[in-house]
Amino acid sequence: ADKPMPRERRPRIKRGDGPVKLFVLDTNVLMHDPMSLFRFEEHDVFLPMITLEELDGHKKGMSEVARSVRQVSRELDALASLSTKDGLLDAQAGIELAKTGHREAGGKLFFQTTLLDVKLPAGLPQGKADNQILGVVQSLREQQKNAANPRDIVLVSKDINMRVKARALGLPAE
């Protein structure tokens, strides 16, 4: 009898080949895909405070966006509650994204907990959320220049204009 040909397996890419990146998420990424936190493989995720503020402003109602935002909030709450010691979160250590059972997520989640020194061009309005997020990316990149093991800081946004602005400022964006 004819046996079916065995399917070729694709070679697995080893984790740890290359430096771990830090992806800074724009609010719209989480609003579009509430599980996006867990889609960065071995890389780390950084959430600026303005992203959390914007999520908070979109959680009410019965729209798909509001449902997505509430799901993101539940995921963040679960991660934070599993990672506390004596009710306190170690912001410097980050939160292992796999803690809630998402084993494909090998990285950590970091929240912005301090005011970062933002130096954006004078023409960009400082109060606009997009520009604040760009400022966070710029500031994190500046910090990495002096780090012992510098790593790439990358903005992730669904907003084309935000990615264009980032690239115009010399910031990597996906």
Side-chain angles (χ1 to χ4, degrees), residues 15 20-23 37-46 79 83 93-100 102-110 151:
R15 290 180 187 249
V20 173
K21 294 179 182 177
L22 182 64
F23 288 102
L37 280 172
F38 307 104
R39 301 198 197 287
F40 293 92
E41 298 171 347
E42 73 273 14
H43 302 289
D44 295 336
V45 174
F46 186 92
L79 283 165
S83 300
I95 301 169
E96 290 180 28
L97 286 163
K99 277 202 182 248
T100 54
H102 297 275
R103 288 187 295 258
E104 70 280 9
K108 292 182 178 182
L109 172 65
F110 294 90
R151 63 176 170 167

Side-chain angles (χ1 to χ4, degrees), residues 17-18 20-21 27 72 77 95 98-99 101 127 140 150 152 160 166 169:
D17 289 357
V20 173
K21 294 179 182 177
T27 313
V72 168
D77 182 53
I95 301 169
K99 277 202 182 248
L140 290 170
D152 290 339
I160 293 171
L169 293 169

Side-chain angles (χ1 to χ4, degrees), residues 67-168:
R67 280 192 283 278
S68 290
V69 168
R70 288 192 297 271
Q71 184 177 354
V72 168
S73 296
R74 286 189 296 273
E75 293 290 343
L76 292 172
D77 182 53
L79 283 165
S81 65
L82 288 171
S83 300
T84 58
K85 291 180 182 169
D86 302 324
L88 299 173
L89 185 66
D90 184 355
Q92 298 300 316
I95 301 169
E96 290 180 28
L97 286 163
K99 277 202 182 248
T100 54
H102 297 275
R103 288 187 295 258
E104 70 280 9
K108 292 182 178 182
L109 172 65
F110 294 90
F111 292 103
Q112 178 185 353
T113 57
T114 60
L115 186 62
L116 297 171
D117 186 24
V118 174
K119 295 176 187 141
L120 287 175
L124 287 176
Q126 297 299 313
K128 192 166 191 241
D130 284 1
N131 296 341
Q132 289 181 37
I133 293 170
L134 289 170
V136 166
V137 174
Q138 178 67 43
S139 183
L140 290 170
R141 283 178 55 86
E142 289 295 320
Q143 287 177 5
Q144 285 301 304
K145 285 182 181 176
N146 302 320
N149 295 318
R151 63 176 170 167
D152 290 339
I153 309 294
V154 181
L155 170 69
V156 179
S157 179
K158 304 257 329 143
D159 181 344
I160 293 171
N161 290 330
M162 174 87 152
R163 293 193 308 265
V164 169
K165 254 199 282 193
R167 290 179 185 128

Side-chain angles (χ1 to χ4, degrees), residues 3-54:
K3 287 186 177 179
M5 293 290 292
R7 288 188 1 202
E8 271 189 54
R9 290 188 178 189
R10 283 186 275 163
R12 293 194 83 180
I13 298 169
K14 292 180 192 170
R15 290 180 187 249
D17 289 357
V20 173
K21 294 179 182 177
L22 182 64
F23 288 102
V24 180
L25 300 191
D26 187 5
T27 313
N28 57 36
V29 173
L30 296 167
M31 290 169 66
H32 176 76
D33 178 4
M35 301 310 284
S36 61
L37 280 172
F38 307 104
R39 301 198 197 287
F40 293 92
E41 298 171 347
E42 73 273 14
H43 302 289
D44 295 336
V45 174
F46 186 92
L47 291 182
M49 277 298 152
I50 191 66
T51 296
L52 296 174
E53 290 291 327
E54 283 191 301

